[in-house]
Amino acid sequence: MKKTKKSVEENGGKFNGAERSAYFARREAAKVLRVVLEGDAKRRALASIKSLIYQPSVRNKKATFALICQTLKHLPIIKDVLEAASILNAKWKRQRELVYIIVYDILFGKAVSLVGDAEKYLMRHEGALRSTLKQLLLQRNVKTVKQLIALHDIPEVSVPRYVRVNTLKLDVDSALLELQKNYSVQKDNLLAELLILPNGTDLHDHPLVKNGSIFMQGKASSMAAPALSPQPGWEVIDACAAPGNKTIHLAALMKSRGKIVACELKRERVKRLKDTIKLSGASNIQVLNEDFLNINPKDPSYSKVNAILLDPSCSGSGTSASRLDHLLPSKTAGQDTDMKRLSKLATFQRKALQHALLFPALERIVYSTCSINQIENEDVIKSVLPIAESYGFQLAKPFPEWQCRGLPVFEGSECLIRTDPATHGEGFFIALFVRKDASWDCSNKNETRILRSTPGIKNAQRKKKRMPIISTNPFKMWLYDQLM
């Protein structure tokens, strides 16, 4: 550290290039980390870790991403060390996120230059921090930091990199040829506009990403819009639109013809939604900063709405791996399951789905979540299904060749779509309602097959077989799937 200090003094107190980069990277990372930790504490995340890091305002995305992930990975240890060392006064307790970042660098990362007040303060206590870490290793009966991290049981996740081609700007074959210049790429066998790259492929600075020709979007998430299958010229509502990937996917399927009303309640997420739309080049989307539940279905402005995509707030349990949620304090502390919170979410989800059914010209509704919990998925559909049928709707079966279907907790659950985090990288759920008197072309593999049943047969089947009730416990759900 004497060497580092000398280099600063030799530069007349000014930063050299590496020191300046490290100084600003830590503060940029601290800002993102504050949003992440505050959202996790309130169980109301503004966005995923990845989304926050890769927003345009973050300049050095790669360094910030690495710094935040490593800090979160070591956060339980960092907190224990700081608490035991008792070195923080009131001033630095108010800047905990920056302290966490710097302490990570001091104990586990690269050398810290004395280029900022926080760095200078913490480096004066470097000896106490290192001594406390050694004591912690002894107390936990481990020899290395790696063994100490393993005690917190943080999983490693490996999933392919999916990208969706934005056909408003570029055709799939052209995108494939361009990406194949530098990467191993293959087409997806279910979604024509989806391409698959190896795990860990970093495309954030790729020209096709920057100009909106391709979007990084998981396969499960990319299935929602094709399941709805809106036609060019239709009027569509995306009820909970931000960050906008599904919204612009709808626009591409509609060839930017017709109209999409993209609703988003949270003002801070509206900007992200508008940025996504602008980047995509979609010209048929109207952004509405409003609660979907406040939209009056009887308003003449919505009298011609043909389809609604409802992807409401959910627990996000299916995408916790891809969102890096396994690094958050609430997850490492084993607080994944909060039934009170899940019940509140399910109540809102049912209310939103019931509201969607009230639009008079509606032909299709897709209800989707990024959750693996039965209470947010099959239970919501089961409770709303009688109401939907009274309005003339029934469940349809999107992607009939897809094998992973809904949990068999009610008759018709074979129409529902599930994706498995272990197999598909994300846990997603999709249900499609269609009006019974609608007629559909089923020649395309992404189209739907309407299941029609005779009431007499239906009642006989109910008497013959009672459907089992499956636990909301994710492990039991997984176990049931393996047994089936």
Side-chain angles (χ1 to χ4, degrees), residues 450-469:
I450 309 302
L451 298 186
R452 303 182 184 276
S453 56
T454 305
I457 296 174
K458 191 173 181 181
N459 291 332
Q461 288 174 337
R462 280 178 179 165
K463 291 178 181 178
K464 185 177 180 181
K465 183 177 180 181
R466 290 184 63 186
M467 303 306 293
I469 301 301

Side-chain angles (χ1 to χ4, degrees), residues 56 68 103 105 109 128 134 148 178 184 187 219 224 246 248 259 277 323 327 363 435 465:
I68 287 180
V103 170
D105 266 347
K134 287 181 180 178
L148 191 58
E178 183 63 29
S184 172
K187 290 184 178 181
K219 179 170 181 172
K246 296 184 186 72
I248 59 174
K259 179 182 177 183
I277 294 169
R323 287 166 52 94
L327 296 175
E363 296 183 41
R435 196 173 289 278
K465 183 177 180 181

Side-chain angles (χ1 to χ4, degrees), residues 344-356:
K344 285 183 178 180
L345 285 168
T347 299
F348 165 73
Q349 291 155 354
R350 285 194 299 271
K351 191 174 181 180
L353 183 52
Q354 291 170 9
H355 186 70

Side-chain angles (χ1 to χ4, degrees), residues 224-238:
L228 187 64
S229 191
Q231 303 302 303
W234 274 18
E235 291 190 13
V236 178
I237 294 177
D238 188 350

